Amino acid sequence: MFDVVVVGGGPCGATAAQDLARSGHKVAMLDRDGRIKPCGGAIPPRLIRDFDIPDSQIVARVGTARMISPSGRAVDIAIENGFVGMVDREHFDEFLRRRATEAGATRLTGTYVGVNRDGVRPKVVYRDKASGETVEIETRLIIGADGARSNVARTEVPGGSTIPYVIAYHEIIKAPPATEIYDPARCDVVYDGRISPDFYGWVFPHGETASVGMGTGIDGVDLKRATAALRAASGLAECETIRREGAPIPLKPLDRWDNGRDVVLAGDAAGVVAPSSGEGIYYAMVGGQVAASACSAMLSTGRASDLKLARRLFMRDHKTVFRVLASMQNAYYRSDDRRERFVSLCHDLDVQRLTFEAYMNKALVRARPMAHLRIGLKNLAHLTGLVHAEYT
């Protein structure tokens, strides 16, 4: 019998399993293996620092972010006093799983089927990948870290299947040498309704490869055609395609993360991907941490109410950032005119500094009240149409 079974071995599940194993708990990590999530792969310095990520996992260091508007206007934002690290999820996720195993977690490879509650304690049921047989493992607690459209959330937590999401699609390509259009030390973010009518497209360097993709929550959008158009516009149409991946990305945290008894959700399964940016790796790993803390608390006290700590701890630190980003997405992703104004606003040095300070450190910057005031006034001017898009 295990203390905790973690369903899912991505950054969230692997982090939760590692933390629990280090705390002395008997933990199993169940992962399907072979699945690579579509992801730009950007990780901020705080993640590298907080989760002790070695240089060997950083495939590129980005020093500039380029915002591109529907009209083709480009605003380059230099990342001052640091860099954004890029990882390839194919290797990064496996690194985290190995680290969890080295900490003492038992790694299981198979597909989650459900929870058998016929006995005193729940049993996680899964189909073993190697044998094809159905296996049951008894546990005291379960962490659902099995991504958006989580089967654990859908079957075990009330409201667990109601997360709004966008579908993300990307193609990993063999990166060309630096050109006038492609820079291996720059992330390009494309706000253009022809690429995505409600989200954005991206070109993110990964060293010898690059991730080119887009996301949308609107049915009927041809993701492959949109990505082909993005590749053509970025001078990458002729590059070799290594792999193609697609998956849903949630955009709003669930109101409830536990079932009040023995299951708690984490990461994408709980909806903790940042609105506007779609950033998920950092928040997934933090979600794994707080889920592990909640389980440890319940294993110690026996109180099922301690599972609520996961959501409470996460929202205490990140609720305001999520609200601000959701407001920004709702305000500026609605039309190409609004996207044009958003990129225009990115010319502003106050916006650039505060945005990247918040991104790098994962907290809103409160030390510059006048800068916040100026940004608020400029934001209002753009949203009400008092200024033209070319003005900042």
Side-chain angles (χ1 to χ4, degrees):
M1 188 187 80
F2 290 94
D3 294 322
V4 184
V5 172
V6 182
V7 180
C12 176
T15 299
Q18 179 186 15
D19 280 10
L20 286 164
R22 283 180 171 176
S23 297
H25 299 296
K26 188 177 181 183
V27 56
M29 176 180 62
L30 173 63
D31 187 65
R32 285 191 298 176
D33 196 27
R35 178 183 177 274
I36 307 170
K37 181 180 177 181
C39 178
I43 60 172
R46 180 168 178 182
L47 184 155
I48 297 171
R49 181 177 66 249
D50 288 359
F51 295 96
D52 193 25
I53 304 302
D55 287 344
S56 61
Q57 289 300 313
I58 309 300
V59 295
R61 295 171 182 248
V62 169
T64 305
R66 171 169 287 183
M67 310 298 180
I68 303 173
S69 77
S71 68
R73 172 187 316 181
V75 178
D76 286 355
I77 304 176
I79 301 171
E80 298 179 356
N81 303 318
F83 65 93
V84 174
M86 308 301 296
V87 297
D88 190 320
R89 292 291 297 272
E90 179 181 12
H91 306 294
F92 183 68
D93 289 19
E94 180 59 22
F95 160 76
L96 295 176
R97 287 190 286 266
R98 287 199 311 269
R99 194 161 68 172
T101 303
E102 291 166 1
T106 299
R107 182 172 177 176
L108 306 172
T109 303
T111 302
Y112 170 82
V113 174
V115 178
N116 181 347
R117 296 188 176 278
D118 290 343
V120 176
R121 300 192 186 281
K123 296 178 181 178
V124 172
V125 184
Y126 73 97
R127 187 169 56 255
D128 183 74
K129 183 176 180 178
S131 67
E133 297 179 353
T134 298
V135 181
E136 295 187 353
I137 47 174
E138 188 174 2
T139 185
R140 297 176 66 184
L141 298 175
I142 301 164
I143 293 178
D146 51 336
R149 294 178 177 170
S150 160
N151 287 322
V152 176
R154 179 176 54 81
T155 59
E156 297 296 324
V157 177
S161 60
T162 60
I163 303 176
Y165 58 84
V166 300
I167 298 296
Y169 171 81
H170 80 159
E171 297 176 357
I172 296 293
I173 64 171
K174 186 174 181 180
T179 67
E180 291 183 1
I181 303 177
Y182 177 77
D183 184 342
R186 186 189 70 220
C187 285
D188 291 357
V189 184
V190 182
Y191 299 98
D192 187 337
R194 292 166 295 186
I195 301 299
S196 171
D198 59 327
F199 206 54
Y200 64 82
W202 68 82
V203 178
F204 285 1
H206 286 182
E208 295 181 355
T209 64
S211 164
V212 185
M214 50 78 68
T216 181
I218 298 177
D219 292 337
V221 175
D222 191 327
L223 283 73
K224 293 184 178 179
R225 179 179 295 179
T227 301
L230 177 58
R231 286 181 62 167
S234 305
L236 303 171
E238 302 303 318
C239 294
E240 176 188 349
T241 301
I242 297 173
R243 65 178 192 263
R244 298 178 175 90
E245 297 147 359
I249 297 178
L251 292 178
K252 182 181 179 182
L254 285 171
D255 293 332
R256 181 173 179 176
W257 293 9
D258 69 278
N259 68 349
R261 180 165 48 166
D262 50 23
V263 175
V264 63
L265 305 176
D268 283 13
V272 293
V273 173
S276 178
S277 69
E279 182 193 359
I281 300 177
Y282 172 78
Y283 295 111
M285 295 178 75
V286 171
Q289 275 189 329
V290 295
S293 295
C295 287
S296 289
M298 182 180 168
L299 290 169
S300 175
T301 66
R303 295 191 302 258
S305 60
D306 284 343
L307 294 178
K308 297 184 184 301
L309 280 172
R311 190 180 193 279
R312 193 178 306 146
L313 291 171
F314 185 94
M315 299 305 284
R316 179 194 65 189
D317 292 337
H318 303 290
K319 176 175 65 176
T320 302
V321 171
F322 272 50
R323 284 181 176 174
V324 169
L325 291 175
S327 297
M328 187 175 77
Q329 179 172 337
N330 292 334
Y332 283 110
Y333 288 16
R334 294 162 51 184
S335 68
D336 274 354
D337 177 69
R338 290 288 183 92
R339 295 184 190 96
E340 197 73 42
R341 292 178 179 278
F342 173 69
V343 174
S344 182
L345 192 61
C346 289
H347 278 287
D348 188 271
L349 290 179
D350 288 327
V351 171
Q352 294 181 15
R353 289 168 181 160
L354 292 179
T355 297
F356 272 94
E357 285 178 13
Y359 171 78
M360 304 283 264
N361 299 301
K362 289 291 164 274
L364 292 179
V365 181
R366 305 182 186 278
R368 298 175 180 164
M370 291 307 297
H372 281 283
L373 178 60
R374 289 194 297 270
I375 290 172
L377 293 173
K378 292 169 185 175
N379 188 53
L380 181 62
H382 276 285
L383 291 176
T384 57
L386 293 176
V387 297
H388 296 294
E390 64 265 29
Y391 299 140
T392 60

